[in-house]
Amino acid sequence: MNYRQYFEDALSRLQAERRYRVFVDIERDPARFPYARRYLKDGTAEDVVVWCSNDYLGMGLHPDVIAAMQEAASRHGVGAGGTRNIAGTNHPLVRLEAELADLHGKDGALVFTSGWISNLAAIGTIGALLPNCLILSDAFNHNSMIEGIRRSGARKQIFRHNDVAHLEDLLRAADPDQPKLIAFESLYSMHGDIAPIGKIADLAERYGAMTYLDEVHAVGLYGPRGGGIAERDGVMNRIDVIEGTLAKGFGALGGYIAADSTIIDAVRSYAASFIFTTALPPAVAAAAGTAVRLLKDREDLRALHQRQALLTKHALSAAGLPVMPNPSHIVPVKVGDAERCKLASDRLLDRHGIYIQPINYPTVERGGERLRITPTPLHTDAHIAHLVEALVDVWKSLDLPFEQDSNVVTFRRESEDAHCTFPEFKKAAE
């Protein structure tokens, strides 16, 4: 039997649908970001400007974060040495969990090797431990949440995206005595829209449901101390379980949940994907913990980030480019066709030295293909001007539609002060 043919056919289907993913080989430089070196197949390299990184604040490049990782690696070695139960509970990891519990005002926190695993493990375990549990899931929830729901074996109902009326209909129809878990995100990363967390918490309290909130694309970026949208909106104490990542706003690696100590202990004790996985290395934990501590006091950096995202949206909209309106830092520019989305990305990279990864199905719906732009505090006004010129050129060359009557989008700032005082970010602040 020719097994290889099955895999070749599967890859051919992806290529025919223009969904085959091509990785761009880049090398970030802390001294020069958002510039990076792009390595080509012929062995040469060139500078590109990265406009699609999820290191939203550049914390993975912050000198204090880098120094913390270097010091911890020298002191503890590069690996954790085992699972959390067998020699892997290193002290930097314990300190990191305390920082995260404090950030979210919860009794405890539990760190995983990725945000994907934290959702899989936590939702899967919570849903399984609640007898006859009903999980109500937002229609736009991330793949990791969906997989966690599947793993739990619980019954699932999907409510329309951010539709609290539909969610209430489902809650009202459910058995009042049945355990219920509402699983949703605070900020949906491909659209940039934000959940009505307070209204969902109201419904949870009214109908006796638990709440599970994914803050992956908001932690570090929103709220007085970077606790996320729930902290910004003053409802963090009304959410039972908050899940986040260390790999985006905090610039490191890993995922976590923060919750009541009993919930944390239950997940710690029952989640197979936690129990049988090697612990996060001490150097990574030390770097992430440093980033969390720093961002608790860096409203100026959050403000600069918001300013650059706002400026990018205004500049692109003013040029007639089809920015998809939303109230967050995500800047999606709609293309609406998989092949032309990939062509637009390629031309930006090859002609203008701008790297923006195309976003196609199944990450977004068919017909919703887009370029997802993520400004950082290190993108200057000059970078934004270059981006606008490049996108206009690509849109014209591919005959992509412009907005005829472009409306400048609104954007909520965290603070009116948009000046960052980090010496290493001084160029961006200017």
Side-chain angles (χ1 to χ4, degrees):
M1 184 176 290
N2 183 7
Y3 286 103
R4 180 186 179 91
Q5 189 62 50
Y6 291 110
F7 301 108
E8 290 177 349
D9 291 346
L11 292 172
S12 295
R13 290 194 297 272
L14 286 178
Q15 290 166 342
E17 296 173 12
R18 302 297 187 265
R19 295 197 292 121
Y20 182 76
R21 298 171 190 262
V22 178
F23 296 161
V24 178
D25 181 1
I26 63 170
E27 181 178 84
R28 298 203 307 171
D29 182 349
R32 302 180 64 240
F33 192 82
Y35 291 97
R37 295 291 286 168
R38 173 199 180 196
Y39 287 88
L40 305 174
K41 291 183 178 180
D42 63 5
T44 62
E46 62 185 13
D47 279 351
V48 296
V49 180
V50 179
W51 273 101
C52 58
S53 174
N54 280 342
D55 187 356
Y56 294 128
L57 299 176
M59 293 306 291
L61 310 164
H62 193 289
D64 291 356
V65 176
I66 294 172
M69 176 174 274
Q70 291 172 332
E71 192 277 332
S74 296
R75 183 176 178 181
H76 304 284
V78 297
T83 65
R84 289 295 297 271
N85 185 52
I86 304 175
T89 299
N90 55 82
H91 191 57
L93 184 47
V94 173
R95 291 181 59 196
L96 170 60
E97 289 175 337
E99 287 285 354
L100 293 166
D102 171 75
L103 176 67
H104 293 293
K106 302 297 184 185
D107 291 343
L110 193 66
V111 167
F112 302 81
T113 50
S114 75
W116 196 93
I117 290 295
S118 59
N119 272 332
L120 176 77
I123 297 176
T125 302
I126 292 168
L129 291 178
L130 294 174
N132 192 31
C133 180
L134 170 64
I135 300 180
L136 300 117
S137 175
D138 188 284
F140 282 11
N141 274 347
H142 189 263
N143 169 268
S144 58
M145 302 179 76
I146 295 168
E147 291 297 327
I149 295 169
R150 287 175 179 163
R151 177 69 64 89
S152 75
R155 181 181 168 218
K156 176 183 70 173
Q157 289 186 327
I158 299 172
F159 61 92
R160 290 187 293 271
H161 178 53
N162 279 347
D163 189 334
V164 291
H166 187 214
L167 174 59
E168 183 166 20
D169 288 342
L170 297 176
L171 286 165
R172 188 185 295 115
D175 181 347
D177 297 324
Q178 181 180 25
K180 293 172 282 290
L181 177 69
I182 304 172
F184 63 110
E185 299 182 40
S186 64
L187 196 164
Y188 293 84
S189 64
M190 293 301 147
H191 300 77
D193 54 344
I194 290 173
I197 301 175
K199 292 180 180 179
I200 292 175
D202 290 341
L203 292 178
E205 291 164 7
R206 187 178 308 154
Y207 292 96
M210 280 184 64
T211 47
Y212 183 101
L213 177 64
D214 179 315
E215 287 261 35
V216 160
H217 291 274
V219 288
L221 311 177
Y222 295 87
R225 299 201 309 156
I229 300 293
E231 184 192 27
R232 185 197 73 178
D233 292 352
V235 295
M236 196 161 58
N237 63 318
R238 300 176 64 197
I239 301 300
D240 293 301
V241 183
I242 294 175
E243 187 266 347
T245 185
L246 303 167
K248 294 179 173 63
F250 298 124
L253 179 70
Y256 66 89
I257 58 169
D260 173 88
S261 59
T262 304
I263 296 173
I264 294 295
D265 200 12
V267 174
R268 180 190 72 87
S269 301
Y270 279 90
S273 49
F274 174 81
I275 294 169
F276 297 105
T277 298
T278 299
L280 205 67
V284 176
T290 299
V292 173
R293 283 192 295 276
L294 283 171
L295 284 177
K296 287 177 180 179
D297 297 317
R298 299 314 311 221
E299 288 189 78
D300 58 337
L301 184 58
R302 282 187 283 277
L304 180 56
H305 177 236
Q306 297 273 322
R307 177 190 183 274
Q308 298 310 94
L310 173 63
L311 183 59
T312 302
K313 287 187 176 183
H314 275 270
L316 294 174
S317 295
L321 291 157
V323 176
M324 302 169 69
N326 66 65
S328 75
H329 63 280
I330 304 295
V331 187
V333 180
K334 187 172 181 179
V335 178
D337 177 84
E339 185 168 8
R340 294 206 289 175
C341 193
K342 179 64 168 63
L343 283 173
S345 174
D346 289 344
R347 291 199 184 185
L348 283 169
L349 190 58
D350 296 332
R351 187 183 295 183
H352 299 281
I354 287 176
Y355 173 35
I356 306 173
Q357 190 71 15
I359 306 297
N360 294 334
Y361 178 83
T363 306
V364 295
E365 66 281 5
R366 296 183 193 275
E369 293 83 3
R370 68 202 62 180
L371 299 177
R372 178 180 175 272
I373 299 168
T374 55
T376 73
L378 298 173
H379 286 94
T380 66
D381 294 1
H383 289 134
I384 295 171
H386 176 222
L387 173 68
V388 174
E389 292 173 359
L391 279 169
V392 167
D393 173 68
V394 168
W395 246 245
K396 289 179 178 178
S397 69
L398 294 178
D399 196 26
L400 292 168
F402 286 84
E403 294 287 345
Q404 296 302 315
D405 299 309
S406 61
N407 296 314
V408 176
V409 295
T410 58
F411 190 84
R412 175 174 177 170
R413 293 192 193 189
E414 289 298 287
S415 167
E416 290 303 312
D417 177 13
H419 177 70
C420 176
T421 55
F422 282 165
E424 64 276 12
F425 292 164
K426 186 174 186 295
K427 181 179 179 182
E430 292 171 350

